[in-house]
Amino acid sequence: MTRSVYVTGTDRGDGRQVIELGVMELLTRQVDRVGVFRPLVHGDGPDRLFDLLRTRYRLEQSPESVYGLTYGEAAALQAEKGTDELVSRIVERFHAVAREYEYVLVLGTDFIGSNLPDELALNARLANEFGAAVITVVGAQGQAAESVRAEARNAFRAYEALGCDVVALIVNRVTPADREAVAEGLSAGLPVPCYALPEEASLSAPTVAQIVRKLGADVLLGDEAGLNRDAKNFVFGGAMLPAFLPALTDGCLVVTPGDRVDLIVGALAAHSAGAPPIAGLLLTLDERPGPDILALADRLAPGTPVVSVPGGSFPTAAELFAIEGKLDGSSPRKAETALGLFERNVDTGDLAARISVARSSRVTPMMFEHELIERSRAARRRVVLPEGTEERVLRAADVLLRRDVCDLTLLGEEDAIRKRAGELGIDLGEAQLIDPQTSPLRERFAEIYAKARAHKGMTLELAYDVVADVSYFGTLMVQEGLADGMVSGAVHSTAATIRPAFEIIKTAPGAQIVSSVFFMCLADRVLVYGDCAVNPDPNAEQLADIAIQSAATATQFGVEPRIAMLSYSTGTSGSGADVDKVRRATELVRERRPDLLVEGPIQYDAAVDAAVAATKLPGSEVAGKATVLVFPDLNTGNNTYKAVQRSAGAVAVGPVLQGLRKPVNDLSRGALVQDIVNTVAITAIQAQGEQRGDRVEP
């Protein structure tokens, strides 16, 4: 029987979407196929939350299967044929979804504009008919702690009295100062886990895109990233420029008549200078600047939204203050914030156990990526990113900070980093910014580097220049314990990233060389490919070292190592220098690590296909089920990983460097934002495995 969890509330305005998104994230970490079902919807189809879930979690579920009935259809059916018929119709629709999925997340009714009697009882009955565990959500916005506790206890008792299997109670939008008191008070008085999520202002702040949709505004300027900025507050422009500029605040939406060119240009100039970065401009009275002013505005603050509405400032203000931010497909950054909030305040491991989420035997790319985030968050580390002004790095930093994955240090000129972040609408929050050119650490690092490279003729004066390079500076931060790992390469070459690591950090004890692996996330499993990025033509001893290192990396990331030493022949069928090298490497692995399962030489098909393996190497413990595939040279490895990535649609995570004493990882210069996020998470996990003292704060 398909398992399901029903997330429901007691009234409107509880911000339940945060919990629904958090539970979906929890489910997709462990289950391959998750379906979504909402019993009742407004309008004629799924809402924007489903659009977000479908986009974020790559759901293939058809929109028409997501819901039972519209509110209008439900009211008419109940009036004509009664509640039993209404419930029967919705249950039938639910089971059509349940037959197709391992687990179903049910999104309860929203208590908005409904003319159905006793909506709470309807949710309770549906949960019982579905056989679903129930998570009850209570909104606490603007309420005192004691009032919140009373309402939450009443909500639990109401659903319990109606026969529901309530597995957890979550109070959302709690005044931050009351969060601990609310959580502790509830946990002491109820038999299920109770969690309290504090009010998060950025979640209730609408994005510029949401404002545009609500007001029917025309977009004169602005790109997608600009439209996704949060409008944290509103500043209404009417004063002269000297009085207006000090009123600007971080993330504000400037509302001004469209003929106030001085305020338009002044606000955008202030944004360009980063003092402060604004969300955008909303021009009223249907007055629009001429093309020359718009061209100037575009040059001053590229991507910053400038939108126009026909109404005056007063009616526009009334509409603006009624708009509340929503989680939808157009606000991916809000989703990251919501998930970070959920995961910081909910014991997700315990909740998963209570809703009976058993881990799937398949491991999908999304499940692997979720696991990286979860593990990196478990024991927080600091990762330094030398390319602090690069857009993709800043967007990745935004995700990492919102999800609370790790601590970050960004290198570069501080004003330049903040200006670029402001242009992208990114709040760097508690990220540490260091300029190697002006940092007090520069002199200390120069002395360390000069001493380490004295045998190469390095002087203190020359070292002072070398360590100002962001790659060297970041590497020295890792070496000195000021950071736990480094990720670079979005705009720097591989050599520029790893040369400082070779010179300063050096190889780990027992490692002959530094090598790399890619995690190849196929549709149903994760394979480890090594070495596809560093060593052009390793000899037998080096190949054995790569295999042993790759097995250790696989184990660290939850992949049971079964090593295939790849060649163009299998077993004893071939001969020649290339095959002999692989055969000798296999023997060395067995000598050095008799505990490891290894087979070689072996062809790729015999390594991964059980049918082929049964013919070519019957009885092998590795053939047909290899998880670690070691290529004989860089040419073979690099081409194979790219062929599998492009032709089989695999997600390639890496390269992950191995063999260094401390983690430094290189990015492809074509790395996407998610690639950077994954690599930083991997680096943080690698750092968790390092046995060393407490990190030193700079």
Side-chain angles (χ1 to χ4, degrees):
M1 180 178 177
T2 300
R3 293 156 294 159
S4 57
V5 59
Y6 198 116
V7 182
T8 185
T10 59
D11 203 351
R12 62 184 299 177
D14 54 20
R16 199 185 321 154
Q17 292 174 320
V18 173
I19 288 81
E20 292 167 337
L21 180 64
V23 173
M24 186 66 171
E25 181 84 6
L26 177 61
L27 293 174
T28 55
R29 284 181 198 155
Q30 302 182 72
V31 177
D32 181 19
R33 289 179 54 77
V34 180
V36 178
F37 185 74
R38 190 185 286 282
L40 299 175
V41 298
H42 297 280
D44 56 0
D47 56 17
R48 290 196 177 102
L49 179 64
F50 175 70
D51 291 338
L52 171 61
L53 297 178
R54 181 171 55 180
T55 301
R56 182 178 182 85
Y57 300 106
R58 306 162 202 161
L59 303 183
E60 297 178 357
Q61 185 177 355
S62 64
E64 55 272 14
S65 73
V66 170
Y67 67 99
L69 299 168
T70 68
Y71 273 98
E73 290 170 339
L77 183 62
Q78 186 174 44
E80 181 181 352
K81 297 188 176 181
T83 300
D84 286 347
E85 180 63 24
L86 169 63
V87 170
S88 176
R89 191 80 60 86
I90 294 174
V91 169
E92 182 180 347
R93 292 276 291 177
F94 167 79
H95 283 301
V97 174
R99 284 191 291 270
E100 301 295 324
Y101 296 93
E102 295 177 65
Y103 208 107
V104 179
L105 169 62
V106 184
L107 314 175
T109 67
D110 57 19
F111 296 86
I112 297 175
S114 168
N115 55 3
L116 292 172
D118 202 354
E119 201 164 334
L120 187 151
L122 176 62
N123 280 290
R125 181 171 176 185
L126 290 172
N128 292 335
E129 297 288 355
F130 297 167
V134 172
I135 297 174
T136 303
V137 182
V138 175
Q141 186 182 29
Q143 297 185 56
E146 188 53 47
S147 173
V148 171
R149 287 195 293 264
E151 185 174 340
R153 285 191 289 266
N154 289 337
F156 171 80
R157 289 174 184 137
Y159 279 102
E160 184 185 46
L162 290 168
C164 292
D165 177 21
V166 180
V167 295
L169 187 142
I170 300 177
V171 182
N172 192 29
R173 307 188 73 176
V174 177
T175 301
D178 293 339
R179 194 200 70 80
E180 289 189 14
V182 169
E184 291 173 3
L186 287 173
S187 296
L190 293 176
V192 298
C194 301
Y195 305 107
L197 276 59
E199 178 76 77
E200 173 58 61
S202 63
L203 289 176
S204 56
T207 65
V208 178
Q210 289 169 340
I211 291 171
V212 167
R213 284 198 301 269
K214 187 69 175 179
L215 301 186
D218 292 330
V219 178
L220 308 182
L221 293 174
D223 58 19
E224 182 179 359
L227 289 167
N228 283 333
R229 296 177 190 172
D230 293 330
K232 297 177 182 177
N233 58 12
F234 307 111
V235 172
F236 293 85
M240 298 303 292
L241 190 60
F244 166 74
L245 289 177
L248 296 177
T249 58
D250 183 21
C252 69
L253 180 70
V254 174
V255 183
T256 185
D259 59 358
R260 288 298 303 271
V261 172
D262 57 332
L263 302 187
I264 296 169
V265 173
L268 292 173
H271 171 87
S272 180
I278 63 173
L281 290 109
L282 175 62
L283 309 183
T284 60
L285 299 175
D286 212 19
E287 292 282 347
R288 306 181 182 205
D292 53 342
I293 297 299
L294 286 177
L296 174 61
D298 196 30
R299 289 195 299 272
L300 277 172
T304 297
V306 178
V307 304
S308 175
V309 294
S313 295
F314 183 78
T316 300
E319 290 187 85
L320 286 173
F321 286 118
I323 300 174
E324 187 170 359
K326 299 291 184 183
L327 291 173
D328 59 32
S330 70
S331 55
R333 289 168 55 204
K334 280 190 185 297
E336 302 295 352
T337 301
L339 287 171
L341 181 69
F342 180 84
E343 291 160 346
R344 283 193 300 273
N345 294 284
V346 173
D347 184 341
T348 54
D350 182 62
L351 184 59
R354 288 177 173 275
I355 60 177
S356 302
V357 185
R359 182 172 291 278
S360 172
S361 59
R362 290 160 51 93
V363 179
T364 67
M366 186 181 301
M367 291 166 69
F368 184 72
E369 291 176 351
H370 289 336
E371 182 71 13
L372 293 180
I373 297 297
E374 185 68 14
R375 288 186 59 190
S376 58
R377 184 189 292 112
R380 200 176 182 88
R381 293 293 184 265
R382 178 174 293 278
V383 177
V384 58
L385 306 175
E387 298 156 325
T389 56
E390 162 61 27
E391 178 176 342
R392 289 166 295 158
V393 171
L394 285 168
R395 293 196 184 282
D398 188 35
V399 173
L400 291 160
L401 292 168
R402 288 173 183 266
R403 293 294 301 279
D404 207 29
V405 173
C406 62
D407 295 322
L408 293 178
T409 297
L410 279 71
L411 301 185
E413 185 183 348
E414 183 171 349
D415 288 345
I417 294 174
R418 293 199 183 281
K419 180 177 183 295
R420 187 65 181 127
E423 291 172 351
L424 299 171
I426 291 170
D427 181 2
L428 292 176
E430 296 182 2
Q432 181 185 52
L433 308 184
I434 297 179
D435 184 353
Q437 297 284 344
T438 60
S439 171
L441 291 170
R442 183 177 178 182
E443 188 171 336
R444 169 183 161 188
F445 285 174
E447 292 175 357
I448 294 168
Y449 184 70
K451 183 178 180 180
R453 304 292 291 174
H455 65 290
K456 294 291 186 178
M458 180 61 59
T459 65
L460 182 60
E461 292 75 15
L462 183 56
Y464 189 76
D465 291 334
V466 171
V467 301
D469 176 86
V470 290
S471 296
Y472 276 91
F473 193 95
T475 304
L476 281 156
M477 286 190 69
V478 176
Q479 173 64 16
E480 291 301 294
L482 302 176
D484 299 298
M486 184 179 88
V487 173
S488 188
V491 293
H492 289 88
S493 68
T494 295
T497 298
I498 66 176
R499 185 187 300 114
F502 289 161
E503 294 179 1
I504 297 165
I505 292 177
K506 305 185 186 301
T507 56
Q512 294 183 16
I513 57 173
V514 173
S515 61
S516 73
V517 296
F518 280 88
F519 291 100
M520 301 300 295
C521 303
L522 305 176
D524 60 351
R525 56 185 161 162
V526 177
L527 300 179
V528 178
Y529 283 11
D531 172 9
C532 305
V534 178
N535 297 285
D537 189 17
N539 59 34
E541 289 75 16
Q542 292 170 331
L543 204 57
D545 198 50
I546 291 169
I548 292 169
Q549 289 180 19
S550 300
T553 300
T555 300
Q556 187 176 20
F557 289 89
V559 178
E560 182 183 353
R562 292 186 291 272
I563 308 168
M565 307 294 287
L566 298 176
S567 178
Y568 59 76
S569 72
T570 295
T572 58
S573 66
S575 61
D578 291 338
V579 179
D580 291 342
K581 178 180 79 168
V582 175
R583 184 173 291 115
R584 175 58 181 155
T586 306
E587 293 169 355
L588 288 171
V589 173
R590 288 175 176 149
E591 290 172 8
R592 295 174 187 172
R593 290 291 305 276
D595 57 308
L596 292 175
L597 295 176
V598 59
E599 190 69 73
I602 185 171
Q603 292 162 289
Y604 191 99
D605 58 350
V608 300
D609 189 306
V612 176
T615 301
K616 294 189 174 184
L617 277 177
S620 170
E621 293 184 274
V622 173
K625 48 192 174 183
T627 57
V628 177
L629 297 112
V630 179
F631 295 91
D633 53 59
L634 184 61
N635 182 51
T636 307
N638 192 269
N639 278 294
T640 302
Y641 107 76
K642 288 183 176 177
V644 173
Q645 179 187 32
R646 301 298 179 184
S647 300
V651 175
V653 179
V656 178
L657 297 185
Q658 51 193 15
L660 288 167
R661 288 190 299 113
K662 297 184 179 183
V664 171
N665 281 310
D666 181 39
L667 297 167
S668 163
R669 274 175 279 183
L672 304 176
V673 170
Q674 189 59 44
D675 298 331
I676 301 172
V677 170
N678 289 338
T679 304
V680 171
I682 283 173
T683 305
I685 295 168
Q686 287 179 308
Q688 292 170 5
E690 297 294 324
Q691 299 298 315
R692 59 178 183 273
D694 292 338
R695 184 178 67 242
V696 180
E697 293 299 335

